[in-house]
């Protein structure tokens, strides 16, 4: 059942790679779109079959693979991963939909996208550390090629930078996995076979540090984020959607699943640091975004800021905050996708992304009124305006983490305010004002608006009906929190008050 | 001594695979003498058939009850069978590559194949040799044939220079090796058989004397040359650049496997008393090889030179398994060498194809190749990415097993260094992929613009294509379907008597290692 989510996209990738060369680009695109739609429907089907009251793994599959390595093909889905899977297949579909109808080398492009989609699904589903790592590293080369073949001007540089940062992240994660499994004396890399209870606190902290650094590069946390603006800005719009919407979630998912799930004790020791780190990330992302002159770069830094909240919520590690973290992961995926899509449309129609050159897009006749309206909506969603999904997620995060880490939470609230500041700057410079007399922009076709409209509907729907956002993850997160020692948490919150 | 006793002492059936290779070798030579150049159309296939028959014969030797032959001179245990198989297989693929290459260079194919088969023979005997003279003779058979092969295209000054360099360095390192070996003969009181030497040294109560250490260092100098471990690597880049490409393919897999087979057999049997010392020396070699091989490869512009440094680095990775010294460690080495065979030979096949069609092997000239020759681009990309350890290719599983075995043996820093240098290696492997795949049509190099239309029906191209596709498929799926290979590697180690004693000691050492981290 779950295997379909992995292997159908990969099979589709293989089919698309070998279809005849002389087919028009649009046919290739449409066939990729059909495959992605089937995967999405299958994913929604699984979402409805998902038993919300069960905190454990569901739909498990287990096939022995390589016993010498302790590697088995073990899949399962729980409240932490189910939404991420949906996000992945939804954004894959949207990315393919929003790709240009005359993409160069379409067969390679779409087969790489589908390959990535299958790999990401595999990483979210894997119940074996090595299997997770295998799928995690599988993203490396396809994304490198997607950035450096179909990217902007400095794509070569951005691609290599992405590649090296991600490879380092993979090396750190692999070292930690090997270390954890060997030191706990387990012979298998399966999740349930690994228990870190027997390890000393010092060792647990070292291993957790490996995990935090490894996934911190991917999330990205502040000192390791420098690949992100380059990669997001140089990537074409569909690739940026996948990078920001899906790949970044792999980092936070890994941090919660492995950092918190495998090292509950060390996690509670680390938590104050992580909370402050998250707050610093959020403030940094917001402040740097204010200074940007390029809208895509602004959105990229906003992504850094928003990932900071997830770290804060993870650090607080109570049931509410974790539900908020999952909700924030999902809603950030939606919001970032719509922003990147709209920025992509603006760039193709207007021909620039510079804040100093854009003006008056709101103008009803000659401008791009619907696109601007959607841009306003998604900017508001990103800044945390009530009625939209961003607010719901952020509010749950803040509500949950305030009791544990008041000061970092307040800093994050400030960052959220700063988010509003740079989005207002962005909207003011692009949508409002007067249009140049020389501006004649091509019309926006219907199919170009559709993805944004779908995302906008989702954003509004989840904003007014947030149950649909949080109900999936509640039992799982409650169970995860129960594993974390309670006493230390109160001690830590006192420590966190001091700085 | 009656005949039956003598026959059981000789146990000559164990070298049946080598016997087949010898017959093939003679067959190739005689056919060439009788028929002349006309035979070159099918003589390659004759050699391949002989080698495949030898591999089949090896299969029937698996788990033989009495592997010791020639009064202890040759040991046909499962370890040697695996290595002999690797060497024979690398010769098969090398012949597939060389049929066209040698023809195009205007030299005789039969002579080339004859020398190559001699080298194969030397390597195969070296894998099972367990007596000093036997080791030395098979090592020399391998080395002398390799010098001849390196200088085979004798009108090319680079090939001549490479042969001279290889000969001078090779001959002196063999001399050093010989000196170490003769010290062993003296120290053990006149024994030449490996296990007898170990007993002799143990009985002489010289323990870890200076003599043993000196002979150890001299022996390692000879081995390090064969597996091109830094700092004994200096010949590698120059020879790789100058020699005919099929020869490099053989040297990088067959000759290297023979070196590792020798290393395992000699070091574990003869030097049990100085286990820590040789592990220390090999740790130093591994660290140097991984760092130097991977870092210097970054700065190469020639494809063959880059692969030379890459093969130095890969030797460093393989040495991790050797230093671990556990059953998993040796098995991971064997597994890695098996998959290294597929990926390296796949890569070299693509390089040969490219240079046959364009006459150059500069990395910059590959740019924009995907448009003209997709199969070559796919093959070279897959093999290079596999060398870099990208999932789900064979090299990924090979590296994971090496690192996992290293970690189990407590080699934390070595594994971490291996991981870091793997990241470095991804950079230079991907550079070639970038040249071929990422470049736009307008960035195509001059050579690729004039690329001849891809034709497989020219004489000698069909075997190249077969070799490419077989190794490509093996590189792609032998990671995912790795269980048979894993079983093969694990069994070959666990069925081998000489490794049992050493691994028992190392597992005890591991037990200590497990407890140490608790004190952190």
């Amino acid at each position: 059942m779950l295997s379909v989510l992995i292997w159908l996209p990969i099979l589709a990738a293989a089919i698309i790679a070998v279809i005849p060369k002389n087919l028009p680009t649009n046919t290739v695109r449409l066939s990729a779109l059909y495959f992605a739609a089937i995967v999405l429907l299958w994913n929604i089907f699984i979402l409805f079959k998902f038993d919300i009251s069960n905190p454990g793994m569901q739909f498990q599959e287990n096939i022995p693979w390589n016993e010498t390595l302790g590697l088995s093909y073990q899949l399962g889905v729980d409240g932490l991963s189910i939404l991420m899977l949906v996000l992945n297949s939804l954004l894959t579909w949207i990315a393919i939909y929003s790709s240009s109808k005359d993409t160069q080398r379409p067969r390679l492009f779409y087969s790489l996208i589908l390959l990535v989609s299958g790999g990401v699904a595999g990483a979210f589903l894997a119940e074996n550390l090595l299997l997770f790592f295998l799928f995690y590293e599988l993203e490396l080369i396809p994304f490198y090629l997607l950035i450096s073949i179909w990217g902007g001007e400095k794509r070569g540089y951005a691609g290599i930078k992405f590649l090296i940062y991600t490879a380092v992240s993979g090396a750190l994660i692999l070292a930690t996995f090997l270390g954890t499994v060997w030191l706990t004396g387990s012979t298998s890399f399966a999740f349930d076979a690994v228990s870190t209870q027997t390890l000393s606190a010092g060792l647990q902290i070292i291993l957790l540090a490996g995990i935090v650094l490894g996934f911190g590069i991917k999330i990205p946390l502040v000192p390791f984020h420098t690949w992100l603006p380059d990669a997001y800005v140089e990537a074409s719009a569909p690739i940026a959607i996948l990078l920001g919407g899906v790949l970044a979630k792999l980092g936070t998912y890994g941090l919660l699943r492995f950092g918190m799930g495998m090292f509950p004790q060390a996690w509670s020791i680390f938590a104050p640091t992580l909370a402050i780190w998250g707050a610093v990330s959020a403030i940094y992302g917001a402040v740097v975004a204010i200074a940007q002159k390029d809208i895509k770069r602004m959105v990229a830094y906003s992504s850094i800021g928003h990932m900071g909240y997830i770290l804060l919520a993870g650090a607080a590690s109570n049931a509410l905050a974790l539900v908020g973290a999952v909700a924030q992961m999902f809603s950030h995926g939606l919001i970032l996708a719509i922003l990147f899509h709209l920025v992509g449309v603006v760039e193709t129609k207007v021909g620039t992304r510079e804040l100093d050159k854009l003006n008056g897009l709101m103008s009803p006749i000659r401008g791009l009124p619907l696109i601007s309206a959607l841009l306003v909506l998604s900017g508001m969603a990103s800044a945390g305006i009530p009625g939209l999904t961003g607010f719901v997620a952020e509010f749950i995060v803040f509500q949950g983490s305030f009791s544990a880490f008041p000061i970092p939470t307040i800093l994050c609230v400030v960052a959220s305010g700063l988010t509003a500041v740079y989005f207002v700057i962005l909207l003011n410079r692009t949508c409002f004002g007067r249009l140049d007399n020389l501006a004649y922009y091509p019309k926006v076709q219907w199919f170009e608006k559709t993805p944004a409209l779908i995302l906008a509907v989702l954003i509004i729907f989840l904003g007014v009906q947030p149950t649909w956002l949080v109900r999936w993850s509640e039992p799982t997160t409650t169970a995860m929190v129960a594993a974390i020692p309670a006493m230390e948490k109160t001690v830590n919150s006192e420590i966190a008050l001091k700085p | 001594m009656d005949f039956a006793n003598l026959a059981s002492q000789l146990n000559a059936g164990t070298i049946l695979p080598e016997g087949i290779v010898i017959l093939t070798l003679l067959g190739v030579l005689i056919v060439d003498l009788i028929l002349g150049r006309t035979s070159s159309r099918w003589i390659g296939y004759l050699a391949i058939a002989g080698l495949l028959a030898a591999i089949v014969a090896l299969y029937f030797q698996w788990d033989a009850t009495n592997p010791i032959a020639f009064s202890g001179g040759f040991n046909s245990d499962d370890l040697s069978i695996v290595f002999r198989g690797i060497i024979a297989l690398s010769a098969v693929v090398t012949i597939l590559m060389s049929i066209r290459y040698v023809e195009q260079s205007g030299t005789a194919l039969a002579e080339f194949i004859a020398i190559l088969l001699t080298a194969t023979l030397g390597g195969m005997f070296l894998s099972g040799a367990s007596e000093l003279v036997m080791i030395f003779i098979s090592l020399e058979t391998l080395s002398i044939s390799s010098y001849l092969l390196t200088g085979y295209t004798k009108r090319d000054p680079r090939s001549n220079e490479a042969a001279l360099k290889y000969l001078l360095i090779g001959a002196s390192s063999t001399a050093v090796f010989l000196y170490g070996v003769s010290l062993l003969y003296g120290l053990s009181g006149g024994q030449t058989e490996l296990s007898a030497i170990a007993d002799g040294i143990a009985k002489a109560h010289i323990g870890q004397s200076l003599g043993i250490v000196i002979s150890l260092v001299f022996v390692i100098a000879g081995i390090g040359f064969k597996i091109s471990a830094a700092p004994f690597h200096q010949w590698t880049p120059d020879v790789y650049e100058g020699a005919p490409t099929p020869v490099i393919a053989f040297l990088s897999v067959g000759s290297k496997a023979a070196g590792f087979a020798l290393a395992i057999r000699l070091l574990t049997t003869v030097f049990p008393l100085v286990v820590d010392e040789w592990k220390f020396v090999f740790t130093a070699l591994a660290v140097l090889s991984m760092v130097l091989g991977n870092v210097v490869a970054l700065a190469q512009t020639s494809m063959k030179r880059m692969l030379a440094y890459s093969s130095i680095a890969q030797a460093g990775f393989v040495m991790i398994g050797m230093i671990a010294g556990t059953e998993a460690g040796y098995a991971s080495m064997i597994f890695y060498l098996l998959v290294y065979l597929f990926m390296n030979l796949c890569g070299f096949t693509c390089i040969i194809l490219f240079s046959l069609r364009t006459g150059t092997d500069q990395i910059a000239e590959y740019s924009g190749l995907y448009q003209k020759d997709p199969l070559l681009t796919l093959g070279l990309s897959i093999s290079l990415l596999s060398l870099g350890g990208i999932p789900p290719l064979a090299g990924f599983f090979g590296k994971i097993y090496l690192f996992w075995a290293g970690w189990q043996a407590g080699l934390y820093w070595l594994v971490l260094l291996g991981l870091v240098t793997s990241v470095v290696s991804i950079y230079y492997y991907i550079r070639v992929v970038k040249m071929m795949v990422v470049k736009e049509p307008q960035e195509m190099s001059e050579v690729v613009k004039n690329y001849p239309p891809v034709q497989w029906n020219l004489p000698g191209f069909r075997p190249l294509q077969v070799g490419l596709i077989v190794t490509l498929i093996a590189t792609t799926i032998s990671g995912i379907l790795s269980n048979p290979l894993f079983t093969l590697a694990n069994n070959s180690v666990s069925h081998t008597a000489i490794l049992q004693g050493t691994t028992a000691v190392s597992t005890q050492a591991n037990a200590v290692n497990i407890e140490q981290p608790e004190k952190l």
Side-chain angles (χ1 to χ4, degrees), chain A residues 65-66 68 105 137 144 148 155 182, chain B residues 370 401 408 437-438 440 480 482-483 486:
Chain A
W65 186 359
N66 191 325
T68 320
R105 298 162 72 183
E137 286 282 278
Y144 165 74
S148 47
R155 57 181 181 274
W182 170 241
Chain B
Y370 76 92
Y401 194 19
Q408 281 178 317
V437 183
V438 176
E440 307 284 331
I480 297 167
S482 52
N483 265 336
F486 267 99

PDB file of all heavy atoms in Angstrom, chain A residues 65-66 68 105 137 144 148 155 182, chain B residues 370 401 408 437-438 440 480 482-483 486:
ATOM      1  N   TRP A  65      15.909  -7.465   3.621  1.00  0.00           N
ATOM      2  CA  TRP A  65      16.669  -7.080   2.444  1.00  0.00           C
ATOM      3  C   TRP A  65      18.119  -7.537   2.576  1.00  0.00           C
ATOM      4  O   TRP A  65      18.524  -8.514   1.963  1.00  0.00           O
ATOM      5  CB  TRP A  65      16.567  -5.565   2.235  1.00  0.00           C
ATOM      6  CG  TRP A  65      17.177  -5.048   0.997  1.00  0.00           C
ATOM      7  CD1 TRP A  65      17.828  -5.768   0.038  1.00  0.00           C
ATOM      8  CD2 TRP A  65      17.179  -3.703   0.541  1.00  0.00           C
ATOM      9  NE1 TRP A  65      18.230  -4.954  -0.977  1.00  0.00           N
ATOM     10  CE2 TRP A  65      17.857  -3.686  -0.701  1.00  0.00           C
ATOM     11  CE3 TRP A  65      16.679  -2.504   1.048  1.00  0.00           C
ATOM     12  CZ2 TRP A  65      18.043  -2.518  -1.425  1.00  0.00           C
ATOM     13  CZ3 TRP A  65      16.867  -1.351   0.327  1.00  0.00           C
ATOM     14  CH2 TRP A  65      17.535  -1.357  -0.902  1.00  0.00           C
ATOM     15  N   ASN A  66      18.843  -6.871   3.423  1.00  0.00           N
ATOM     16  CA  ASN A  66      20.254  -7.212   3.527  1.00  0.00           C
ATOM     17  C   ASN A  66      20.600  -7.373   4.990  1.00  0.00           C
ATOM     18  O   ASN A  66      20.738  -6.393   5.721  1.00  0.00           O
ATOM     19  CB  ASN A  66      21.088  -6.101   2.896  1.00  0.00           C
ATOM     20  CG  ASN A  66      22.514  -6.512   2.743  1.00  0.00           C
ATOM     21  OD1 ASN A  66      23.038  -7.242   3.581  1.00  0.00           O
ATOM     22  ND2 ASN A  66      23.144  -6.087   1.689  1.00  0.00           N
ATOM     23  N   THR A  68      23.239  -8.630   6.489  1.00  0.00           N
ATOM     24  CA  THR A  68      24.599  -8.295   6.918  1.00  0.00           C
ATOM     25  C   THR A  68      24.683  -6.839   7.350  1.00  0.00           C
ATOM     26  O   THR A  68      25.351  -6.497   8.318  1.00  0.00           O
ATOM     27  CB  THR A  68      25.584  -8.527   5.769  1.00  0.00           C
ATOM     28  OG1 THR A  68      25.205  -9.708   5.098  1.00  0.00           O
ATOM     29  CG2 THR A  68      26.984  -8.644   6.279  1.00  0.00           C
ATOM     30  N   ARG A 105      14.701  19.884 -22.698  1.00  0.00           N
ATOM     31  CA  ARG A 105      14.996  18.502 -22.293  1.00  0.00           C
ATOM     32  C   ARG A 105      13.940  17.954 -21.334  1.00  0.00           C
ATOM     33  O   ARG A 105      14.220  17.585 -20.197  1.00  0.00           O
ATOM     34  CB  ARG A 105      16.373  18.450 -21.638  1.00  0.00           C
ATOM     35  CG  ARG A 105      17.450  18.863 -22.614  1.00  0.00           C
ATOM     36  CD  ARG A 105      18.714  19.239 -21.940  1.00  0.00           C
ATOM     37  NE  ARG A 105      19.394  18.077 -21.414  1.00  0.00           N
ATOM     38  CZ  ARG A 105      20.506  18.153 -20.729  1.00  0.00           C
ATOM     39  NH1 ARG A 105      21.061  19.333 -20.491  1.00  0.00           N
ATOM     40  NH2 ARG A 105      21.077  17.087 -20.291  1.00  0.00           N
ATOM     41  N   GLU A 137      19.845  10.298   0.642  1.00  0.00           N
ATOM     42  CA  GLU A 137      20.930  10.598  -0.279  1.00  0.00           C
ATOM     43  C   GLU A 137      20.482  10.516  -1.725  1.00  0.00           C
ATOM     44  O   GLU A 137      21.128  11.058  -2.611  1.00  0.00           O
ATOM     45  CB  GLU A 137      22.086   9.616  -0.058  1.00  0.00           C
ATOM     46  CG  GLU A 137      22.885   9.875   1.179  1.00  0.00           C
ATOM     47  CD  GLU A 137      23.861  11.017   1.014  1.00  0.00           C
ATOM     48  OE1 GLU A 137      24.944  10.813   0.463  1.00  0.00           O
ATOM     49  OE2 GLU A 137      23.512  12.133   1.454  1.00  0.00           O
ATOM     50  N   TYR A 144      20.640  18.236  -7.668  1.00  0.00           N
ATOM     51  CA  TYR A 144      21.791  18.955  -8.231  1.00  0.00           C
ATOM     52  C   TYR A 144      21.553  19.220  -9.716  1.00  0.00           C
ATOM     53  O   TYR A 144      21.744  20.337 -10.200  1.00  0.00           O
ATOM     54  CB  TYR A 144      23.073  18.139  -8.027  1.00  0.00           C
ATOM     55  CG  TYR A 144      24.205  18.635  -8.866  1.00  0.00           C
ATOM     56  CD1 TYR A 144      24.863  19.807  -8.531  1.00  0.00           C
ATOM     57  CD2 TYR A 144      24.578  17.981 -10.037  1.00  0.00           C
ATOM     58  CE1 TYR A 144      25.865  20.294  -9.321  1.00  0.00           C
ATOM     59  CE2 TYR A 144      25.581  18.454 -10.830  1.00  0.00           C
ATOM     60  CZ  TYR A 144      26.224  19.611 -10.477  1.00  0.00           C
ATOM     61  OH  TYR A 144      27.213  20.110 -11.269  1.00  0.00           O
ATOM     62  N   SER A 148      21.110  22.767 -11.588  1.00  0.00           N
ATOM     63  CA  SER A 148      22.162  23.304 -12.447  1.00  0.00           C
ATOM     64  C   SER A 148      21.866  23.144 -13.936  1.00  0.00           C
ATOM     65  O   SER A 148      22.614  23.673 -14.738  1.00  0.00           O
ATOM     66  CB  SER A 148      23.513  22.704 -12.088  1.00  0.00           C
ATOM     67  OG  SER A 148      23.426  21.333 -11.954  1.00  0.00           O
ATOM     68  N   ARG A 155      23.574  29.238 -11.876  1.00  0.00           N
ATOM     69  CA  ARG A 155      23.081  27.932 -11.457  1.00  0.00           C
ATOM     70  C   ARG A 155      24.186  26.935 -11.150  1.00  0.00           C
ATOM     71  O   ARG A 155      24.043  26.091 -10.280  1.00  0.00           O
ATOM     72  CB  ARG A 155      22.144  27.371 -12.513  1.00  0.00           C
ATOM     73  CG  ARG A 155      22.771  27.256 -13.883  1.00  0.00           C
ATOM     74  CD  ARG A 155      21.755  26.714 -14.856  1.00  0.00           C
ATOM     75  NE  ARG A 155      22.341  26.576 -16.177  1.00  0.00           N
ATOM     76  CZ  ARG A 155      22.392  27.537 -17.063  1.00  0.00           C
ATOM     77  NH1 ARG A 155      21.878  28.720 -16.765  1.00  0.00           N
ATOM     78  NH2 ARG A 155      22.944  27.344 -18.242  1.00  0.00           N
ATOM     79  N   TRP A 182      25.716   0.982  16.546  1.00  0.00           N
ATOM     80  CA  TRP A 182      26.803   0.159  17.059  1.00  0.00           C
ATOM     81  C   TRP A 182      26.903   0.290  18.578  1.00  0.00           C
ATOM     82  O   TRP A 182      27.032  -0.697  19.284  1.00  0.00           O
ATOM     83  CB  TRP A 182      28.106   0.560  16.384  1.00  0.00           C
ATOM     84  CG  TRP A 182      29.297  -0.058  17.020  1.00  0.00           C
ATOM     85  CD1 TRP A 182      30.335   0.587  17.605  1.00  0.00           C
ATOM     86  CD2 TRP A 182      29.576  -1.451  17.152  1.00  0.00           C
ATOM     87  NE1 TRP A 182      31.229  -0.308  18.084  1.00  0.00           N
ATOM     88  CE2 TRP A 182      30.802  -1.562  17.829  1.00  0.00           C
ATOM     89  CE3 TRP A 182      28.900  -2.605  16.770  1.00  0.00           C
ATOM     90  CZ2 TRP A 182      31.368  -2.789  18.132  1.00  0.00           C
ATOM     91  CZ3 TRP A 182      29.477  -3.828  17.076  1.00  0.00           C
ATOM     92  CH2 TRP A 182      30.686  -3.918  17.750  1.00  0.00           C
TER      93      TRP A 182
ATOM     94  N   TYR B 370      25.898  14.517 -23.835  1.00  0.00           N
ATOM     95  CA  TYR B 370      24.624  13.802 -23.721  1.00  0.00           C
ATOM     96  C   TYR B 370      23.839  13.825 -25.020  1.00  0.00           C
ATOM     97  O   TYR B 370      23.065  12.934 -25.310  1.00  0.00           O
ATOM     98  CB  TYR B 370      23.783  14.391 -22.582  1.00  0.00           C
ATOM     99  CG  TYR B 370      23.133  15.693 -22.922  1.00  0.00           C
ATOM    100  CD1 TYR B 370      21.851  15.741 -23.449  1.00  0.00           C
ATOM    101  CD2 TYR B 370      23.800  16.890 -22.720  1.00  0.00           C
ATOM    102  CE1 TYR B 370      21.264  16.936 -23.786  1.00  0.00           C
ATOM    103  CE2 TYR B 370      23.232  18.086 -23.063  1.00  0.00           C
ATOM    104  CZ  TYR B 370      21.961  18.105 -23.588  1.00  0.00           C
ATOM    105  OH  TYR B 370      21.379  19.287 -23.932  1.00  0.00           O
ATOM    106  N   TYR B 401      29.098  -0.793   3.712  1.00  0.00           N
ATOM    107  CA  TYR B 401      29.583  -1.995   4.391  1.00  0.00           C
ATOM    108  C   TYR B 401      30.979  -1.762   4.954  1.00  0.00           C
ATOM    109  O   TYR B 401      31.269  -2.141   6.104  1.00  0.00           O
ATOM    110  CB  TYR B 401      29.564  -3.178   3.410  1.00  0.00           C
ATOM    111  CG  TYR B 401      29.714  -4.540   4.055  1.00  0.00           C
ATOM    112  CD1 TYR B 401      29.466  -4.714   5.407  1.00  0.00           C
ATOM    113  CD2 TYR B 401      30.085  -5.644   3.316  1.00  0.00           C
ATOM    114  CE1 TYR B 401      29.590  -5.956   5.991  1.00  0.00           C
ATOM    115  CE2 TYR B 401      30.208  -6.890   3.892  1.00  0.00           C
ATOM    116  CZ  TYR B 401      29.964  -7.038   5.238  1.00  0.00           C
ATOM    117  OH  TYR B 401      30.096  -8.260   5.819  1.00  0.00           O
ATOM    118  N   GLN B 408      32.283  -0.980  13.496  1.00  0.00           N
ATOM    119  CA  GLN B 408      32.158  -2.107  14.421  1.00  0.00           C
ATOM    120  C   GLN B 408      33.492  -2.453  15.056  1.00  0.00           C
ATOM    121  O   GLN B 408      33.543  -2.975  16.157  1.00  0.00           O
ATOM    122  CB  GLN B 408      31.635  -3.326  13.668  1.00  0.00           C
ATOM    123  CG  GLN B 408      30.162  -3.286  13.439  1.00  0.00           C
ATOM    124  CD  GLN B 408      29.693  -4.486  12.658  1.00  0.00           C
ATOM    125  OE1 GLN B 408      30.318  -4.897  11.702  1.00  0.00           O
ATOM    126  NE2 GLN B 408      28.588  -5.053  13.067  1.00  0.00           N
ATOM    127  N   VAL B 437      26.398  16.284 -18.838  1.00  0.00           N
ATOM    128  CA  VAL B 437      24.942  16.388 -18.786  1.00  0.00           C
ATOM    129  C   VAL B 437      24.463  17.831 -18.712  1.00  0.00           C
ATOM    130  O   VAL B 437      23.513  18.218 -19.388  1.00  0.00           O
ATOM    131  CB  VAL B 437      24.406  15.586 -17.578  1.00  0.00           C
ATOM    132  CG1 VAL B 437      22.899  15.628 -17.546  1.00  0.00           C
ATOM    133  CG2 VAL B 437      24.887  14.164 -17.628  1.00  0.00           C
ATOM    134  N   VAL B 438      25.127  18.630 -17.880  1.00  0.00           N
ATOM    135  CA  VAL B 438      24.570  19.935 -17.560  1.00  0.00           C
ATOM    136  C   VAL B 438      24.812  20.960 -18.658  1.00  0.00           C
ATOM    137  O   VAL B 438      23.992  21.835 -18.892  1.00  0.00           O
ATOM    138  CB  VAL B 438      25.150  20.423 -16.211  1.00  0.00           C
ATOM    139  CG1 VAL B 438      24.671  21.804 -15.890  1.00  0.00           C
ATOM    140  CG2 VAL B 438      24.757  19.466 -15.112  1.00  0.00           C
ATOM    141  N   GLU B 440      25.029  23.225 -21.858  1.00  0.00           N
ATOM    142  CA  GLU B 440      24.060  23.500 -22.920  1.00  0.00           C
ATOM    143  C   GLU B 440      24.644  23.102 -24.273  1.00  0.00           C
ATOM    144  O   GLU B 440      25.861  23.011 -24.426  1.00  0.00           O
ATOM    145  CB  GLU B 440      23.758  25.001 -22.952  1.00  0.00           C
ATOM    146  CG  GLU B 440      23.344  25.586 -21.629  1.00  0.00           C
ATOM    147  CD  GLU B 440      21.921  25.229 -21.289  1.00  0.00           C
ATOM    148  OE1 GLU B 440      21.122  25.043 -22.217  1.00  0.00           O
ATOM    149  OE2 GLU B 440      21.627  25.121 -20.094  1.00  0.00           O
ATOM    150  N   ILE B 480      21.350  -3.039  -5.103  1.00  0.00           N
ATOM    151  CA  ILE B 480      20.008  -3.350  -4.627  1.00  0.00           C
ATOM    152  C   ILE B 480      19.848  -4.847  -4.421  1.00  0.00           C
ATOM    153  O   ILE B 480      19.292  -5.297  -3.429  1.00  0.00           O
ATOM    154  CB  ILE B 480      18.974  -2.820  -5.645  1.00  0.00           C
ATOM    155  CG1 ILE B 480      19.095  -1.305  -5.732  1.00  0.00           C
ATOM    156  CG2 ILE B 480      17.575  -3.210  -5.255  1.00  0.00           C
ATOM    157  CD1 ILE B 480      18.376  -0.698  -6.884  1.00  0.00           C
ATOM    158  N   SER B 482      22.048  -7.081  -3.632  1.00  0.00           N
ATOM    159  CA  SER B 482      23.416  -7.380  -3.219  1.00  0.00           C
ATOM    160  C   SER B 482      23.522  -8.639  -2.381  1.00  0.00           C
ATOM    161  O   SER B 482      24.627  -9.049  -2.052  1.00  0.00           O
ATOM    162  CB  SER B 482      23.975  -6.201  -2.444  1.00  0.00           C
ATOM    163  OG  SER B 482      23.097  -5.843  -1.422  1.00  0.00           O
ATOM    164  N   ASN B 483      22.407  -9.247  -2.024  1.00  0.00           N
ATOM    165  CA  ASN B 483      22.494 -10.376  -1.101  1.00  0.00           C
ATOM    166  C   ASN B 483      23.401 -11.502  -1.572  1.00  0.00           C
ATOM    167  O   ASN B 483      24.201 -11.989  -0.789  1.00  0.00           O
ATOM    168  CB  ASN B 483      21.098 -10.909  -0.790  1.00  0.00           C
ATOM    169  CG  ASN B 483      20.581 -10.293   0.478  1.00  0.00           C
ATOM    170  OD1 ASN B 483      21.376  -9.861   1.303  1.00  0.00           O
ATOM    171  ND2 ASN B 483      19.289 -10.224   0.636  1.00  0.00           N
ATOM    172  N   PHE B 486      26.920 -10.408  -1.070  1.00  0.00           N
ATOM    173  CA  PHE B 486      27.246 -10.344   0.357  1.00  0.00           C
ATOM    174  C   PHE B 486      27.505 -11.747   0.902  1.00  0.00           C
ATOM    175  O   PHE B 486      28.444 -11.973   1.648  1.00  0.00           O
ATOM    176  CB  PHE B 486      26.107  -9.691   1.133  1.00  0.00           C
ATOM    177  CG  PHE B 486      26.277  -8.219   1.312  1.00  0.00           C
ATOM    178  CD1 PHE B 486      25.626  -7.317   0.497  1.00  0.00           C
ATOM    179  CD2 PHE B 486      27.106  -7.728   2.308  1.00  0.00           C
ATOM    180  CE1 PHE B 486      25.791  -5.954   0.662  1.00  0.00           C
ATOM    181  CE2 PHE B 486      27.272  -6.372   2.480  1.00  0.00           C
ATOM    182  CZ  PHE B 486      26.617  -5.485   1.649  1.00  0.00           C
TER     183      PHE B 486
END
